[in-house]
Amino acid sequence: MKKRWLALCLATVMAASLTACGSSKTSTPDTTGAQTTAAGSETKAGDGTKAEEAPAGAVEQVVTIPMFSDPDTLDPGRSDDEQKNAIVLEIQETLIRLMDGKVTPGGAESWETSDDGLVWTFKLRDNQYSDGTAVTAQDYVNSIRRIFDPEVNCHNAGIFYCIKGGEDFNTGKGSKEDVAAKAVDDKTLEITLTEPLPYFLQLMTFANVTPVPESKTQGEKNSSYGATADELSSSGPFYASEWVRGSKIVLKKNPNYWDAANVKLETVNMVLAQDENTREQMFNQGQLDILRKVRSEYADTLKAKIDGGEVQLLEGPQPRYSYICFNNEDPNGIFTNEKIRMAFSIALDRESLVKNVMKKDQAAYGMIPYGLSIGEELFRDIYPEPMKDFLAQDPKALLEEGLKELGKEGEQITVTFLQKNSDNDTKVQAEYYQNQWQTKLGVIVKIDTASDNSSFNNQVSKGLYQVCQTGWGADYNDPMTFMQCYMTGDGNNPAFFSDAKYDELVEACKTESDMKVRGEKFAEAEKIITVEHCGLAPITFTYDKNVAKSSVKGFYINGAGGPAIELKSAYVE
């Protein structure tokens, strides 16, 4: 067996190096994208954005941060968006934890892999839930089985098909007992893969792979677990002490957490503030301590406070992107035509959107964002965005060709854009798309608004839409986190895109250990989905500006993987 021990993980941190399972001893790879320090200097992929360190004082250890959406559940098995992940990863302990952008031991204090890279064995540390009961290997087994449980309907199930027996259970061809995750004893977890993966260890940082006691999910409780704070078993630095739907979630320090001695915060207030203007006003009034994803013009209003040391500014690229999602199986038939999809993609002026409407982020001409690594290098430093030449075509001519292919030549078509919520920022962007398409294509665009983000996600996942805007953020630091989603039949494929060549290229990258070969295949697949067949239309890459009170120290703004704001090491000075 080839072993990766605690001392090695803590003492030696290399740049993001993805080697095949079962290879020679190396340090655990970093799994975050390129970020910037508070001073604004860019750092290599793998360096987190961290607030200044200093010893904690005697002041009240309480911070308040906003929730951008209202979660419908805190069940780790159903954690499928950024907001849920941000909460679950504060209150639960993954086997591997990202700290300062680096993979470190979490619920597992050490791990080893077999020579063929198929069997991974994790030695668990002594950890307890907030109620004092011990976390066991069987609890992790239960959470892994639930990823594939059709009743749970985990949208990330396909990502974990690498675990033997998982796909069969998920597709009704096997049982949960066939899933190759087993508790050798209370402190030893063994996972068997179908094939060696270069990035498997990074999958163990997912919120879905956090412990859930079987007693909490037996019978009818399996489908309702996570609906209230009281029923949650919290294994992480914090636990949810209060959850008021549509208002707030209050986290308290978990006194039984294995590393509780190094957790300084006593309370984290997470208040629902979906509107950007509201969040800015709250920060101005001192009601928020950390605010992510602020607009450039808002950051400019804080310049005097930033220069004076009252406010910290942390900024840099984040491996996330937003895109126009076409229903490639559009029940109305319009977006089943790739030329029409191309026309709608080309018609959008991305630079104007970023500069005049969103006033943040950067225009995207590809699917894999900046700040994401391929081996030891940044992907976008090697492979250019594929769409720029594509955008030189005439969108109106493409639309007319597509309509002719559909037997609708000369018709003025009407399409419906599904807006994810009624927030002002969402509304303004939707109206921008509507104006662009109506002006440049001569189509009629109706806007339909989902009641909330959860309803939007459910509607889109079921294909009950024509066109919408959505996005994806990296769960780990490898292009696979973006590319696997759009393989045929994947649970995270809201576009219902399907292409045999795309599938072949991405599938090959799962086991390919040569980073140059992997990069070339990913680049070819990216061109297929964004240009050649235009299954979706990338719009923006995320470039975050984050602000925080100068009194808040020791927190990290994570890139690929981990909670959006890592608060385990945070404190108030």
Side-chain angles (χ1 to χ4, degrees), residues 295-488:
R295 293 176 287 201
S296 296
E297 62 182 13
Y298 177 66
D300 290 344
T301 68
L302 298 174
K303 187 176 186 304
K305 291 184 177 180
I306 293 169
D307 292 343
E310 296 177 56
V311 172
Q312 304 173 72
L313 172 65
L314 302 96
E315 60 179 330
Q318 290 281 332
R320 295 191 296 268
Y321 85 120
S322 69
Y323 62 96
I324 295 298
C325 187
F326 305 115
N327 187 343
N328 286 223
E329 297 180 354
D330 180 5
N332 292 325
I334 301 299
F335 292 108
T336 60
N337 184 276
E338 67 181 42
K339 288 181 179 176
I340 293 178
R341 298 195 298 267
M342 290 178 183
F344 273 71
S345 177
I346 292 170
L348 293 177
D349 185 337
R350 291 156 173 80
E351 300 294 340
S352 175
L353 171 69
V354 167
K355 181 179 179 180
N356 301 316
V357 181
M358 297 178 62
K359 300 180 181 179
K360 61 181 178 181
D361 295 338
Q362 64 187 82
Y365 302 99
M367 198 169 87
I368 299 176
Y370 290 86
L372 201 76
S373 297
I374 180 76
E376 296 184 359
E377 300 180 85
L378 295 175
F379 184 89
R380 287 268 83 105
D381 284 352
I382 307 171
Y383 305 100
E385 298 168 67
M387 293 175 59
K388 293 190 175 180
D389 293 338
F390 166 70
L391 295 176
Q393 298 180 75
D394 181 356
K396 187 66 179 292
L398 280 168
L399 176 66
E400 291 172 352
E401 289 176 23
L403 290 175
K404 185 176 181 179
E405 291 175 357
L406 293 177
K408 296 178 179 292
E409 185 176 7
E411 292 186 23
Q412 183 183 47
I413 59 170
T414 298
V415 301
T416 300
F417 179 87
L418 178 62
Q419 182 176 294
K420 65 182 178 181
N421 57 45
S422 58
D423 295 351
N424 183 65
D425 297 324
T426 307
K427 181 175 181 290
V428 169
Q429 288 185 49
E431 290 174 348
Y432 178 81
Y433 303 139
Q434 180 187 48
N435 177 266
Q436 290 266 295
W437 290 328
Q438 291 188 158
T439 300
K440 296 180 180 179
L441 298 177
V443 300
I444 297 172
V445 179
K446 295 181 178 179
I447 297 177
D448 186 17
T449 305
S451 57
D452 54 37
N453 287 0
S454 295
S455 298
F456 170 82
N457 289 335
N458 289 332
Q459 191 168 340
V460 170
S461 68
K462 294 175 181 177
L464 303 176
Y465 78 103
Q466 277 192 289
V467 59
C468 67
Q469 179 191 341
T470 185
W472 189 260
D475 292 304
Y476 50 93
N477 191 32
D478 187 81
M480 186 64 73
T481 189
F482 291 94
M483 306 303 282
Q484 178 168 331
C485 298
Y486 308 102
M487 294 180 71
T488 301

Side-chain angles (χ1 to χ4, degrees), residues 1-14:
M1 304 283 279
K2 299 187 178 180
K3 303 184 178 183
R4 304 183 182 211
W5 296 111
L6 173 63
L8 180 63
C9 296
L10 295 180
T12 310
V13 180
M14 298 175 66

Side-chain angles (χ1 to χ4, degrees), residues 21-22 112-121 162-164 180 190-197 200:
C21 303
E112 59 189 33
T113 179
S114 60
D115 290 338
D116 62 5
L118 295 179
V119 180
W120 286 79
T121 304
C162 56
I163 298 177
K164 188 177 180 181
E190 182 181 280
I191 301 174
T192 302
L193 308 184
T194 59
E195 54 192 2
L197 294 187
F200 175 70

